[in-house]
Amino acid sequence: MSKKKVAKVCKLQFPAGGAKPGPALASAGINMPQFCTAFNDATKDRKGDLVPVVITAYEDKSFDFILKTTPAAVMLKKAANIQKASGDQKQVAGTITVDQLKEIAEYKMPDLNANDVEAAMRIVAGTARNMGIKIEGFE
């Protein structure tokens, strides 16, 4: 099998099942309708989530893509039932439970640089702290 030559690697985010051709995809230099169809089919079960994707575009205009997990910040806002995080970490924007933190950490494990759930929980807890989200019964 001959190795394809990589033209570009793009990291983008789209709503699950809602990718549309546009300037962000145009810069990747790929077949936009083909990507949108493939992405939307792959993410139709994650409706309402923001899905990061890494697109590898090749010189022959073909592409591969890898779906990532929803960003921790988006999941934390949803768990705390808030629209916007606090700009100041000392000001509490919302609260979540340790169980919610663990659930988010377990979901994020494939994309985090953590060896176990406890380490993943500490990473996600740091994100929560920076957003002004308090975790009841943690630390």
Side-chain angles (χ1 to χ4, degrees):
M1 182 176 132
S2 65
K3 205 113 158 91
K4 293 181 185 180
K5 194 153 179 169
V6 174
K8 192 173 196 176
V9 176
C10 295
K11 294 180 181 181
L12 302 170
Q13 292 183 1
F14 296 104
K20 296 186 207 77
L25 275 176
S27 68
I30 60 172
N31 181 334
M32 290 187 278
Q34 185 182 358
F35 168 78
C36 291
T37 302
F39 177 86
N40 293 342
D41 286 346
T43 60
K44 64 180 170 252
D45 59 331
R46 292 170 64 176
K47 282 284 185 210
D49 286 350
L50 191 62
V51 182
V53 61
V54 178
I55 304 168
T56 305
Y58 300 103
E59 286 185 345
D60 66 356
K61 301 290 184 203
S62 64
F63 62 89
D64 291 325
F65 65 93
I66 300 167
L67 299 175
K68 299 289 187 178
T69 56
T70 302
V74 172
M75 297 183 74
L76 287 164
K77 285 193 286 189
K78 190 186 288 186
N81 274 334
I82 58 173
Q83 295 295 314
K84 192 170 184 234
S86 172
D88 178 11
Q89 48 181 299
K90 289 176 182 63
Q91 183 180 346
V92 177
T95 57
I96 62 170
T97 64
V98 175
D99 290 338
Q100 288 174 308
L101 174 67
K102 185 174 183 179
E103 188 179 314
I104 293 169
E106 287 171 346
Y107 174 77
K108 292 290 297 170
M109 274 294 285
D111 290 344
L112 292 177
N113 189 13
N115 295 327
D116 56 24
V117 176
E118 285 73 31
M121 285 173 68
R122 286 193 299 275
I123 293 169
V124 176
T127 303
R129 195 170 23 257
N130 287 337
M131 295 172 66
I133 295 174
K134 186 174 182 256
I135 302 159
E136 292 175 352
F138 188 76
E139 296 185 76

